[in-house]
Amino acid sequence: MRERRAFQNARRAREFEAFVAGAAGRLLHAATLLTAEPPNANPRARRLLTLALAHTYASWDRLRGEDPYDRARQQLAVRFARGAWHQYGALGRSRPAPSPSVSGSGSVAVLARLTPQERLVLVLRMYEGVAEEQTAALLGLPVERVRAICARAMTTLLHPPRGPAPIMAKVVPS
């Protein structure tokens, strides 16, 4: 009995290691996009991914034909949404002030201008290719709301807000 259980645990570990070897890079990139951290310095994204993969491993035997990548992506989204809720309140409906570590012209600075909710919807819809209906079900929002959030996020990315107008100096006649 113990030998069979040990064999099952070893098989489970091998299957999960193979899954992580194939999916961890893409999931880490998605987590990095969600947190809007630089790719080379992303402790929040790595923590988010670690927790999502730990939950996926814990439920590995109960997947029963379900796609483990979908389960891990779902856990990633749920954990990010919960963290954003606690950090910003109401899933970050106000735009966070850009931190000095993400200032610049890269994609990280662009994503940092979005609210956490906009980033979550944008990453799920555009990067991961999840359908509007599935995104709405995952976030508990109506499909129209997901569509509006995605459109607003795309507008913000494609047409960034302009800075303050330059101050005109007075010309004194001589």
Side-chain angles (χ1 to χ4, degrees):
M1 184 71 164
R2 285 186 179 178
E3 295 163 356
R4 189 173 100 183
R5 188 69 166 152
F7 177 75
Q8 287 175 343
N9 287 340
R11 182 182 52 82
R12 174 185 182 199
R14 280 193 312 274
E15 288 175 354
F16 186 74
E17 286 174 8
F19 163 71
V20 170
R26 185 169 173 89
L27 287 169
L28 179 61
H29 188 66
T32 303
L33 291 174
L34 286 173
T35 59
E37 294 176 312
N40 54 355
N42 53 3
R44 285 181 49 222
R46 289 180 185 277
R47 174 126 174 97
L48 201 64
L49 177 62
T50 302
L51 293 172
L53 288 176
H55 188 275
T56 304
Y57 182 72
S59 63
W60 190 260
D61 291 335
R62 294 184 304 266
L63 289 178
R64 301 199 198 292
E66 189 179 336
D67 186 13
Y69 186 84
D70 285 341
R71 177 68 64 96
R73 179 178 55 214
Q74 179 182 7
Q75 276 302 310
L76 199 67
V78 166
R79 287 187 180 277
F80 175 76
R82 189 179 303 135
W85 179 274
H86 289 294
Q87 187 174 4
Y88 298 108
L91 196 54
R93 300 208 182 185
S94 62
R95 297 193 185 278
S99 64
S101 64
V102 294
S103 61
S105 61
S107 63
V108 172
V110 172
L111 286 174
R113 286 194 300 244
L114 300 175
T115 66
Q117 187 179 44
E118 290 171 340
R119 273 194 311 248
L120 180 57
V121 169
L122 195 70
V123 168
L124 287 174
R125 290 280 300 123
M126 299 300 155
Y127 179 71
E128 290 290 325
V130 178
E132 284 178 345
E133 294 82 13
Q134 289 176 320
T135 303
L138 177 64
L139 300 178
L141 297 172
V143 176
E144 295 79 22
R145 180 76 181 130
V146 169
R147 189 176 299 129
I149 292 168
C150 189
R152 186 176 61 228
M154 288 300 293
T155 301
T156 303
L157 290 179
L158 296 174
H159 307 287
R162 295 183 180 155
I167 299 173
M168 301 299 287
K170 281 189 172 180
V171 178
V172 180
S174 49

